[in-house]
C-alpha cells in the first residue's frame, strides 16, 4: 500500500516535522504526526511529499531532498541530485547539481551503488541558487 506522507518546516522554530498534511479554513497548513497525533503549523512553501523511495540508510526520500549518489565504491565518486515531481510526466525525477543539470528518473538512481539523503533544498538554498546561476 502507498504511504502518503509529507514533511515541512514548522513556523515557530523551522524544525522539520513529518506526517499527514492538511489545511484549515484560514489557509493555514499543518502536519499531523501519525505516531503522536500532535499537529504543527508549517510553512506551506516547505511542504514536501514522500516519494515512496528510501535511501540506502532506509530514510524516506522526499521531494526537494538533496540525494547523494555514488557511482562506484570510491568515496569521492558521487553526484548530488535535487529530487522533485515532474508534472508533465507525472513522475519523481532528480536533476544533477553540477554543471550538466542532467535529469534522471528517481527509480533509476535507486539502482546505484549507494545513495543517501544529505540535505534538503529549503535548508540549502545557497547551493541550489549557485548551481542554477552557473549552469
Amino acid at each position: 500500500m502507498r504511504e502518503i506522507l509529507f514533511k515541512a518546516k514548522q513556523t515557530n522554530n523551522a524544525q522539520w516535522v513529518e506526517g499527514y498534511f492538511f489545511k484549515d479554513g484560514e489557509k493555514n497548513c499543518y502536519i499531523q504526526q501519525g505516531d503522536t497525533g500532535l499537529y504543527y503549523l508549517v510553512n506551506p512553501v516547505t511542504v514536501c511529499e514522500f516519494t515512496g523511495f528510501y535511501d540506502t540508510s532506509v530514510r524516506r526520500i522526499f521531494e526537494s531532498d538533496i540525494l547523494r549518489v555514488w557511482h562506484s565504491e570510491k568515496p569521492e565518486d558521487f553526484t548530488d541530485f535535487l529530487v522533485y515531481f515532474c508534472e508533465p510526466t507525472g513522475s519523481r525525477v532528480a536533476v544533477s547539481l553540477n554543471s550538466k543539470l542532467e535529469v534522471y528518473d528517481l527509480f533509476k538512481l535507486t539502482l546505484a551503488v549507494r545513495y543517501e539523503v544529505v540535505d534538503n533544498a529549503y535548508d540549502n538554498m545557497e547551493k541550489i541558487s549557485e548551481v542554477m546561476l552557473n549552469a
Side-chain angles (χ1 to χ4, degrees), residues 1-134:
M1 179 168 43
R2 184 170 169 225
E3 194 173 19
I4 302 173
L5 293 173
F6 295 84
K7 76 175 180 179
K9 289 186 148 223
Q10 298 176 52
T11 56
N12 64 337
N13 62 12
Q15 294 295 312
W16 287 102
V17 61
E18 292 182 17
Y20 306 102
F21 174 76
F22 68 95
K23 292 182 180 181
D24 66 12
E26 307 275 321
K27 296 187 180 180
N28 292 314
C29 296
Y30 299 89
I31 296 280
Q32 179 180 8
Q33 287 185 318
D35 55 343
T36 66
L38 298 173
Y39 59 92
Y40 301 89
L41 183 63
V42 296
N43 180 342
V45 173
T46 66
V47 174
C48 307
E49 187 174 356
F50 175 48
T51 63
F53 292 99
Y54 295 84
D55 71 7
T56 49
S57 298
V58 196
R59 288 183 294 187
R60 291 181 180 110
I61 301 172
F62 288 85
E63 294 171 354
S64 300
D65 277 346
I66 297 174
L67 192 65
R68 181 161 291 167
V69 177
W70 282 266
H71 310 289
S72 71
E73 296 294 334
K74 298 177 185 174
E76 68 280 358
D77 187 20
F78 67 85
T79 303
D80 288 344
F81 291 86
L82 176 64
V83 177
Y84 70 97
F85 180 73
C86 180
E87 298 227 6
T89 63
S91 62
R92 303 293 191 312
V93 297
V95 61
S96 62
L97 296 178
N98 58 25
S99 60
K100 296 178 185 175
L101 294 177
E102 300 164 303
V103 179
Y104 295 92
D105 184 273
L106 183 57
F107 174 74
K108 288 184 180 180
L109 291 183
T110 65
L111 302 174
V113 172
R114 190 170 101 214
Y115 53 99
E116 293 182 9
V117 174
V118 294
D119 210 343
N120 186 281
Y122 296 111
D123 289 332
N124 202 337
M125 289 306 286
E126 300 81 29
K127 179 177 184 174
I128 304 300
S129 298
E130 179 182 320
V131 169
M132 297 302 170
L133 289 173
N134 294 323

